[in-house]
Amino acid sequence: MNLLAKFLKVLNSEASPWQIAIAITLGMVIGLTPLLRLHNMIILFVVLFLRINLASFLASFVLFSGIAWLFDPLMNSVGEEVLTAASWQDTWITLFNSSLGQLSQFNHTLTMGGFLVSLLLSPIVLFLSRHIVVQYRQRIMAWVNKLKIMQAFKASKLYQLYLTIGG
């Protein structure tokens, strides 16, 4: 619940819709692939280094981890198809004979399938999540702010205290 509250606070904040959308997309990539993989460690480093919105990233990671659990058989099949494709065998042999290829663990069907599915979905999730954030701010947040009870709450000392402490 705390994560959801933080995510809603981010949606209502002044954070850029692109910043939130990028966090959601990176959370999706980590959520759809097995956790302890080289590409996930790189993404985690980028998230922490570039000040990506952590609440959006974590909420997305949790959501897409649940989705991945449901679609693991499909992603496993995708990975198996790609790794057993005859035309790619020389590429995989060369990659997995290198140290970086072994560290990547892309020779595992679930890792390869989840990574490919997340790469294919990334542009869609990026633009769709940005659109949803913009629409939320224009429609839902604006509607809530127009409510009399919200206007009364924002005029209260409790809200002012909230802004100074948690805002």
mmCIF file of all heavy atoms in Angstrom, residues 20-57:
data_model
loop_
_atom_site.group_PDB
_atom_site.id
_atom_site.type_symbol
_atom_site.label_atom_id
_atom_site.label_comp_id
_atom_site.label_asym_id
_atom_site.label_seq_id
_atom_site.Cartn_x
_atom_site.Cartn_y
_atom_site.Cartn_z
ATOM 1 N N ILE A 20 8.394 9.625 -15.588
ATOM 2 C CA ILE A 20 7.581 8.550 -15.030
ATOM 3 C C ILE A 20 7.471 7.390 -16.034
ATOM 4 O O ILE A 20 7.591 6.222 -15.667
ATOM 5 C CB ILE A 20 6.191 9.079 -14.634
ATOM 6 C CG1 ILE A 20 6.333 10.130 -13.521
ATOM 7 C CG2 ILE A 20 5.277 7.946 -14.185
ATOM 8 C CD1 ILE A 20 5.064 10.904 -13.237
ATOM 9 N N ALA A 21 7.280 7.713 -17.306
ATOM 10 C CA ALA A 21 7.146 6.682 -18.341
ATOM 11 C C ALA A 21 8.440 5.873 -18.493
ATOM 12 O O ALA A 21 8.387 4.651 -18.668
ATOM 13 C CB ALA A 21 6.756 7.322 -19.666
ATOM 14 N N ILE A 22 9.568 6.527 -18.419
ATOM 15 C CA ILE A 22 10.851 5.815 -18.505
ATOM 16 C C ILE A 22 11.015 4.883 -17.312
ATOM 17 O O ILE A 22 11.444 3.738 -17.460
ATOM 18 C CB ILE A 22 12.029 6.811 -18.618
ATOM 19 C CG1 ILE A 22 11.998 7.493 -19.990
ATOM 20 C CG2 ILE A 22 13.360 6.122 -18.374
ATOM 21 C CD1 ILE A 22 12.941 8.670 -20.126
ATOM 22 N N ALA A 23 10.638 5.349 -16.129
ATOM 23 C CA ALA A 23 10.722 4.507 -14.933
ATOM 24 C C ALA A 23 9.823 3.279 -15.074
ATOM 25 O O ALA A 23 10.220 2.154 -14.726
ATOM 26 C CB ALA A 23 10.336 5.311 -13.697
ATOM 27 N N ILE A 24 8.619 3.474 -15.581
ATOM 28 C CA ILE A 24 7.695 2.358 -15.777
ATOM 29 C C ILE A 24 8.260 1.365 -16.796
ATOM 30 O O ILE A 24 8.205 0.151 -16.598
ATOM 31 C CB ILE A 24 6.308 2.884 -16.198
ATOM 32 C CG1 ILE A 24 5.648 3.608 -15.028
ATOM 33 C CG2 ILE A 24 5.421 1.755 -16.720
ATOM 34 C CD1 ILE A 24 4.388 4.375 -15.388
ATOM 35 N N THR A 25 8.834 1.874 -17.863
ATOM 36 C CA THR A 25 9.390 1.005 -18.904
ATOM 37 C C THR A 25 10.587 0.207 -18.385
ATOM 38 O O THR A 25 10.687 -0.995 -18.645
ATOM 39 C CB THR A 25 9.796 1.841 -20.135
ATOM 40 O OG1 THR A 25 8.653 2.582 -20.578
ATOM 41 C CG2 THR A 25 10.306 0.965 -21.252
ATOM 42 N N LEU A 26 11.469 0.843 -17.650
ATOM 43 C CA LEU A 26 12.620 0.116 -17.104
ATOM 44 C C LEU A 26 12.174 -0.914 -16.066
ATOM 45 O O LEU A 26 12.729 -2.014 -15.996
ATOM 46 C CB LEU A 26 13.624 1.104 -16.500
ATOM 47 C CG LEU A 26 14.348 1.993 -17.506
ATOM 48 C CD1 LEU A 26 15.225 3.013 -16.788
ATOM 49 C CD2 LEU A 26 15.161 1.176 -18.481
ATOM 50 N N GLY A 27 11.156 -0.574 -15.278
ATOM 51 C CA GLY A 27 10.603 -1.540 -14.335
ATOM 52 C C GLY A 27 9.995 -2.735 -15.048
ATOM 53 O O GLY A 27 10.065 -3.870 -14.563
ATOM 54 N N MET A 28 9.396 -2.474 -16.211
ATOM 55 C CA MET A 28 8.830 -3.557 -17.001
ATOM 56 C C MET A 28 9.928 -4.518 -17.475
ATOM 57 O O MET A 28 9.769 -5.733 -17.399
ATOM 58 C CB MET A 28 8.079 -3.012 -18.219
ATOM 59 C CG MET A 28 7.500 -4.109 -19.083
ATOM 60 S SD MET A 28 7.341 -3.753 -20.836
ATOM 61 C CE MET A 28 8.934 -3.203 -21.321
ATOM 62 N N VAL A 29 11.035 -3.978 -17.957
ATOM 63 C CA VAL A 29 12.123 -4.827 -18.460
ATOM 64 C C VAL A 29 12.641 -5.731 -17.345
ATOM 65 O O VAL A 29 12.801 -6.942 -17.533
ATOM 66 C CB VAL A 29 13.270 -3.976 -19.055
ATOM 67 C CG1 VAL A 29 14.464 -4.850 -19.412
ATOM 68 C CG2 VAL A 29 12.793 -3.200 -20.270
ATOM 69 N N ILE A 30 12.859 -5.165 -16.172
ATOM 70 C CA ILE A 30 13.354 -5.978 -15.055
ATOM 71 C C ILE A 30 12.282 -6.960 -14.587
ATOM 72 O O ILE A 30 12.576 -8.094 -14.219
ATOM 73 C CB ILE A 30 13.851 -5.080 -13.906
ATOM 74 C CG1 ILE A 30 15.172 -4.441 -14.313
ATOM 75 C CG2 ILE A 30 14.025 -5.865 -12.622
ATOM 76 C CD1 ILE A 30 15.841 -3.629 -13.238
ATOM 77 N N GLY A 31 11.023 -6.538 -14.606
ATOM 78 C CA GLY A 31 9.945 -7.401 -14.156
ATOM 79 C C GLY A 31 9.685 -8.588 -15.063
ATOM 80 O O GLY A 31 9.284 -9.652 -14.594
ATOM 81 N N LEU A 32 9.903 -8.429 -16.354
ATOM 82 C CA LEU A 32 9.618 -9.514 -17.304
ATOM 83 C C LEU A 32 10.762 -10.507 -17.468
ATOM 84 O O LEU A 32 10.594 -11.530 -18.114
ATOM 85 C CB LEU A 32 9.243 -8.937 -18.670
ATOM 86 C CG LEU A 32 7.897 -8.222 -18.772
ATOM 87 C CD1 LEU A 32 7.660 -7.727 -20.191
ATOM 88 C CD2 LEU A 32 6.749 -9.102 -18.307
ATOM 89 N N THR A 33 11.914 -10.204 -16.922
ATOM 90 C CA THR A 33 13.064 -11.099 -17.061
ATOM 91 C C THR A 33 13.488 -11.615 -15.683
ATOM 92 O O THR A 33 13.189 -10.990 -14.665
ATOM 93 C CB THR A 33 14.251 -10.372 -17.718
ATOM 94 O OG1 THR A 33 14.594 -9.224 -16.939
ATOM 95 C CG2 THR A 33 13.925 -9.942 -19.127
ATOM 96 N N PRO A 34 14.178 -12.750 -15.637
ATOM 97 C CA PRO A 34 14.689 -13.228 -14.347
ATOM 98 C C PRO A 34 15.571 -12.161 -13.696
ATOM 99 O O PRO A 34 16.347 -11.479 -14.370
ATOM 100 C CB PRO A 34 15.497 -14.466 -14.723
ATOM 101 C CG PRO A 34 14.863 -14.957 -15.987
ATOM 102 C CD PRO A 34 14.453 -13.701 -16.714
ATOM 103 N N LEU A 35 15.438 -12.020 -12.401
ATOM 104 C CA LEU A 35 15.995 -10.858 -11.693
ATOM 105 C C LEU A 35 17.515 -10.748 -11.745
ATOM 106 O O LEU A 35 18.040 -9.705 -12.110
ATOM 107 C CB LEU A 35 15.518 -10.877 -10.236
ATOM 108 C CG LEU A 35 15.864 -9.645 -9.418
ATOM 109 C CD1 LEU A 35 15.263 -8.398 -10.037
ATOM 110 C CD2 LEU A 35 15.389 -9.814 -7.999
ATOM 111 N N LEU A 36 18.223 -11.772 -11.385
ATOM 112 C CA LEU A 36 19.678 -11.663 -11.250
ATOM 113 C C LEU A 36 20.373 -11.935 -12.577
ATOM 114 O O LEU A 36 21.003 -12.979 -12.786
ATOM 115 C CB LEU A 36 20.175 -12.617 -10.165
ATOM 116 C CG LEU A 36 19.650 -12.295 -8.764
ATOM 117 C CD1 LEU A 36 20.098 -13.361 -7.780
ATOM 118 C CD2 LEU A 36 20.073 -10.917 -8.320
ATOM 119 N N ARG A 37 20.273 -10.978 -13.471
ATOM 120 C CA ARG A 37 20.909 -11.055 -14.778
ATOM 121 C C ARG A 37 21.717 -9.782 -15.002
ATOM 122 O O ARG A 37 21.436 -8.729 -14.437
ATOM 123 C CB ARG A 37 19.872 -11.203 -15.894
ATOM 124 C CG ARG A 37 19.020 -12.461 -15.798
ATOM 125 C CD ARG A 37 19.903 -13.706 -15.944
ATOM 126 N NE ARG A 37 19.117 -14.914 -16.087
ATOM 127 C CZ ARG A 37 19.022 -15.847 -15.151
ATOM 128 N NH1 ARG A 37 19.643 -15.697 -14.001
ATOM 129 N NH2 ARG A 37 18.317 -16.939 -15.348
ATOM 130 N N LEU A 38 22.702 -9.863 -15.875
ATOM 131 C CA LEU A 38 23.597 -8.743 -16.131
ATOM 132 C C LEU A 38 22.833 -7.517 -16.630
ATOM 133 O O LEU A 38 23.062 -6.400 -16.142
ATOM 134 C CB LEU A 38 24.675 -9.147 -17.140
ATOM 135 C CG LEU A 38 25.672 -8.056 -17.532
ATOM 136 C CD1 LEU A 38 26.476 -7.623 -16.315
ATOM 137 C CD2 LEU A 38 26.590 -8.556 -18.637
ATOM 138 N N HIS A 39 21.917 -7.698 -17.561
ATOM 139 C CA HIS A 39 21.201 -6.535 -18.101
ATOM 140 C C HIS A 39 20.341 -5.873 -17.013
ATOM 141 O O HIS A 39 20.182 -4.656 -17.012
ATOM 142 C CB HIS A 39 20.365 -6.920 -19.331
ATOM 143 C CG HIS A 39 19.228 -7.817 -19.040
ATOM 144 N ND1 HIS A 39 19.360 -9.189 -18.959
ATOM 145 C CD2 HIS A 39 17.921 -7.551 -18.805
ATOM 146 C CE1 HIS A 39 18.192 -9.722 -18.683
ATOM 147 N NE2 HIS A 39 17.297 -8.758 -18.583
ATOM 148 N N ASN A 40 19.828 -6.648 -16.072
ATOM 149 C CA ASN A 40 19.052 -6.059 -14.982
ATOM 150 C C ASN A 40 19.933 -5.270 -14.021
ATOM 151 O O ASN A 40 19.517 -4.246 -13.484
ATOM 152 C CB ASN A 40 18.276 -7.135 -14.226
ATOM 153 C CG ASN A 40 17.089 -7.630 -15.002
ATOM 154 O OD1 ASN A 40 16.658 -7.006 -15.960
ATOM 155 N ND2 ASN A 40 16.554 -8.766 -14.611
ATOM 156 N N MET A 41 21.136 -5.737 -13.793
ATOM 157 C CA MET A 41 22.058 -4.994 -12.933
ATOM 158 C C MET A 41 22.445 -3.664 -13.593
ATOM 159 O O MET A 41 22.565 -2.642 -12.923
ATOM 160 C CB MET A 41 23.322 -5.821 -12.642
ATOM 161 C CG MET A 41 23.070 -7.104 -11.881
ATOM 162 S SD MET A 41 22.228 -6.838 -10.318
ATOM 163 C CE MET A 41 20.804 -7.878 -10.542
ATOM 164 N N ILE A 42 22.602 -3.684 -14.906
ATOM 165 C CA ILE A 42 22.908 -2.450 -15.637
ATOM 166 C C ILE A 42 21.722 -1.485 -15.550
ATOM 167 O O ILE A 42 21.901 -0.292 -15.293
ATOM 168 C CB ILE A 42 23.282 -2.756 -17.105
ATOM 169 C CG1 ILE A 42 24.608 -3.517 -17.155
ATOM 170 C CG2 ILE A 42 23.347 -1.480 -17.941
ATOM 171 C CD1 ILE A 42 24.949 -4.110 -18.511
ATOM 172 N N ILE A 43 20.511 -1.994 -15.732
ATOM 173 C CA ILE A 43 19.321 -1.151 -15.632
ATOM 174 C C ILE A 43 19.192 -0.584 -14.225
ATOM 175 O O ILE A 43 18.895 0.606 -14.047
ATOM 176 C CB ILE A 43 18.050 -1.927 -16.033
ATOM 177 C CG1 ILE A 43 18.059 -2.200 -17.540
ATOM 178 C CG2 ILE A 43 16.781 -1.172 -15.627
ATOM 179 C CD1 ILE A 43 16.965 -3.125 -18.011
ATOM 180 N N LEU A 44 19.424 -1.397 -13.210
ATOM 181 C CA LEU A 44 19.345 -0.928 -11.827
ATOM 182 C C LEU A 44 20.368 0.169 -11.573
ATOM 183 O O LEU A 44 20.063 1.177 -10.921
ATOM 184 C CB LEU A 44 19.550 -2.095 -10.869
ATOM 185 C CG LEU A 44 19.268 -1.834 -9.411
ATOM 186 C CD1 LEU A 44 17.836 -1.366 -9.206
ATOM 187 C CD2 LEU A 44 19.540 -3.081 -8.593
ATOM 188 N N PHE A 45 21.568 0.016 -12.097
ATOM 189 C CA PHE A 45 22.593 1.054 -11.971
ATOM 190 C C PHE A 45 22.126 2.346 -12.638
ATOM 191 O O PHE A 45 22.279 3.437 -12.078
ATOM 192 C CB PHE A 45 23.909 0.576 -12.593
ATOM 193 C CG PHE A 45 24.983 1.620 -12.597
ATOM 194 C CD1 PHE A 45 25.656 1.935 -11.430
ATOM 195 C CD2 PHE A 45 25.300 2.301 -13.761
ATOM 196 C CE1 PHE A 45 26.643 2.913 -11.421
ATOM 197 C CE2 PHE A 45 26.276 3.275 -13.774
ATOM 198 C CZ PHE A 45 26.959 3.588 -12.597
ATOM 199 N N VAL A 46 21.551 2.245 -13.827
ATOM 200 C CA VAL A 46 21.049 3.427 -14.546
ATOM 201 C C VAL A 46 19.944 4.106 -13.745
ATOM 202 O O VAL A 46 19.921 5.335 -13.616
ATOM 203 C CB VAL A 46 20.552 3.035 -15.962
ATOM 204 C CG1 VAL A 46 19.753 4.143 -16.603
ATOM 205 C CG2 VAL A 46 21.726 2.653 -16.835
ATOM 206 N N VAL A 47 19.039 3.317 -13.188
ATOM 207 C CA VAL A 47 17.933 3.871 -12.394
ATOM 208 C C VAL A 47 18.479 4.655 -11.204
ATOM 209 O O VAL A 47 18.028 5.770 -10.922
ATOM 210 C CB VAL A 47 16.974 2.752 -11.929
ATOM 211 C CG1 VAL A 47 16.044 3.227 -10.835
ATOM 212 C CG2 VAL A 47 16.172 2.228 -13.109
ATOM 213 N N LEU A 48 19.447 4.097 -10.515
ATOM 214 C CA LEU A 48 19.990 4.760 -9.333
ATOM 215 C C LEU A 48 20.910 5.924 -9.695
ATOM 216 O O LEU A 48 20.955 6.924 -8.982
ATOM 217 C CB LEU A 48 20.726 3.746 -8.459
ATOM 218 C CG LEU A 48 19.840 2.642 -7.876
ATOM 219 C CD1 LEU A 48 20.690 1.596 -7.167
ATOM 220 C CD2 LEU A 48 18.783 3.217 -6.958
ATOM 221 N N PHE A 49 21.615 5.807 -10.781
ATOM 222 C CA PHE A 49 22.578 6.838 -11.174
ATOM 223 C C PHE A 49 21.905 8.057 -11.800
ATOM 224 O O PHE A 49 22.307 9.190 -11.552
ATOM 225 C CB PHE A 49 23.605 6.243 -12.149
ATOM 226 C CG PHE A 49 24.711 7.182 -12.508
ATOM 227 C CD1 PHE A 49 25.701 7.493 -11.595
ATOM 228 C CD2 PHE A 49 24.766 7.758 -13.771
ATOM 229 C CE1 PHE A 49 26.728 8.368 -11.923
ATOM 230 C CE2 PHE A 49 25.784 8.628 -14.118
ATOM 231 C CZ PHE A 49 26.772 8.934 -13.181
ATOM 232 N N LEU A 50 20.866 7.836 -12.607
ATOM 233 C CA LEU A 50 20.241 8.931 -13.348
ATOM 234 C C LEU A 50 19.000 9.513 -12.666
ATOM 235 O O LEU A 50 18.265 10.269 -13.276
ATOM 236 C CB LEU A 50 19.866 8.469 -14.757
ATOM 237 C CG LEU A 50 21.020 8.094 -15.664
ATOM 238 C CD1 LEU A 50 20.504 7.664 -17.022
ATOM 239 C CD2 LEU A 50 21.995 9.254 -15.814
ATOM 240 N N ARG A 51 18.759 9.148 -11.448
ATOM 241 C CA ARG A 51 17.631 9.687 -10.682
ATOM 242 C C ARG A 51 16.293 9.413 -11.370
ATOM 243 O O ARG A 51 15.444 10.281 -11.481
ATOM 244 C CB ARG A 51 17.802 11.181 -10.442
ATOM 245 C CG ARG A 51 18.966 11.532 -9.556
ATOM 246 C CD ARG A 51 19.107 13.024 -9.389
ATOM 247 N NE ARG A 51 17.816 13.701 -9.320
ATOM 248 C CZ ARG A 51 17.384 14.401 -8.286
ATOM 249 N NH1 ARG A 51 18.135 14.518 -7.234
ATOM 250 N NH2 ARG A 51 16.218 15.011 -8.316
ATOM 251 N N ILE A 52 16.137 8.204 -11.831
ATOM 252 C CA ILE A 52 14.853 7.765 -12.372
ATOM 253 C C ILE A 52 13.898 7.662 -11.185
ATOM 254 O O ILE A 52 14.300 7.291 -10.085
ATOM 255 C CB ILE A 52 15.006 6.390 -13.071
ATOM 256 C CG1 ILE A 52 16.033 6.437 -14.192
ATOM 257 C CG2 ILE A 52 13.673 5.858 -13.549
ATOM 258 C CD1 ILE A 52 15.653 7.253 -15.388
ATOM 259 N N ASN A 53 12.630 7.983 -11.392
ATOM 260 C CA ASN A 53 11.656 7.962 -10.310
ATOM 261 C C ASN A 53 11.538 6.561 -9.733
ATOM 262 O O ASN A 53 11.052 5.644 -10.401
ATOM 263 C CB ASN A 53 10.310 8.473 -10.812
ATOM 264 C CG ASN A 53 9.353 8.616 -9.698
ATOM 265 O OD1 ASN A 53 8.759 7.642 -9.264
ATOM 266 N ND2 ASN A 53 9.209 9.835 -9.206
ATOM 267 N N LEU A 54 11.966 6.403 -8.500
ATOM 268 C CA LEU A 54 12.053 5.097 -7.871
ATOM 269 C C LEU A 54 10.682 4.494 -7.566
ATOM 270 O O LEU A 54 10.492 3.288 -7.729
ATOM 271 C CB LEU A 54 12.893 5.195 -6.594
ATOM 272 C CG LEU A 54 13.633 3.961 -6.162
ATOM 273 C CD1 LEU A 54 14.445 3.362 -7.283
ATOM 274 C CD2 LEU A 54 14.522 4.257 -4.975
ATOM 275 N N ALA A 55 9.723 5.303 -7.135
ATOM 276 C CA ALA A 55 8.389 4.773 -6.822
ATOM 277 C C ALA A 55 7.729 4.203 -8.074
ATOM 278 O O ALA A 55 7.147 3.112 -8.039
ATOM 279 C CB ALA A 55 7.520 5.861 -6.206
ATOM 280 N N SER A 56 7.820 4.900 -9.191
ATOM 281 C CA SER A 56 7.246 4.408 -10.452
ATOM 282 C C SER A 56 7.971 3.150 -10.918
ATOM 283 O O SER A 56 7.353 2.194 -11.387
ATOM 284 C CB SER A 56 7.336 5.470 -11.539
ATOM 285 O OG SER A 56 6.665 6.632 -11.150
ATOM 286 N N PHE A 57 9.283 3.158 -10.784
ATOM 287 C CA PHE A 57 10.096 2.006 -11.179
ATOM 288 C C PHE A 57 9.715 0.776 -10.366
ATOM 289 O O PHE A 57 9.478 -0.299 -10.920
ATOM 290 C CB PHE A 57 11.581 2.345 -11.004
ATOM 291 C CG PHE A 57 12.503 1.183 -11.216
ATOM 292 C CD1 PHE A 57 12.793 0.736 -12.488
ATOM 293 C CD2 PHE A 57 13.068 0.525 -10.139
ATOM 294 C CE1 PHE A 57 13.636 -0.344 -12.695
ATOM 295 C CE2 PHE A 57 13.916 -0.547 -10.326
ATOM 296 C CZ PHE A 57 14.197 -0.979 -11.606
#
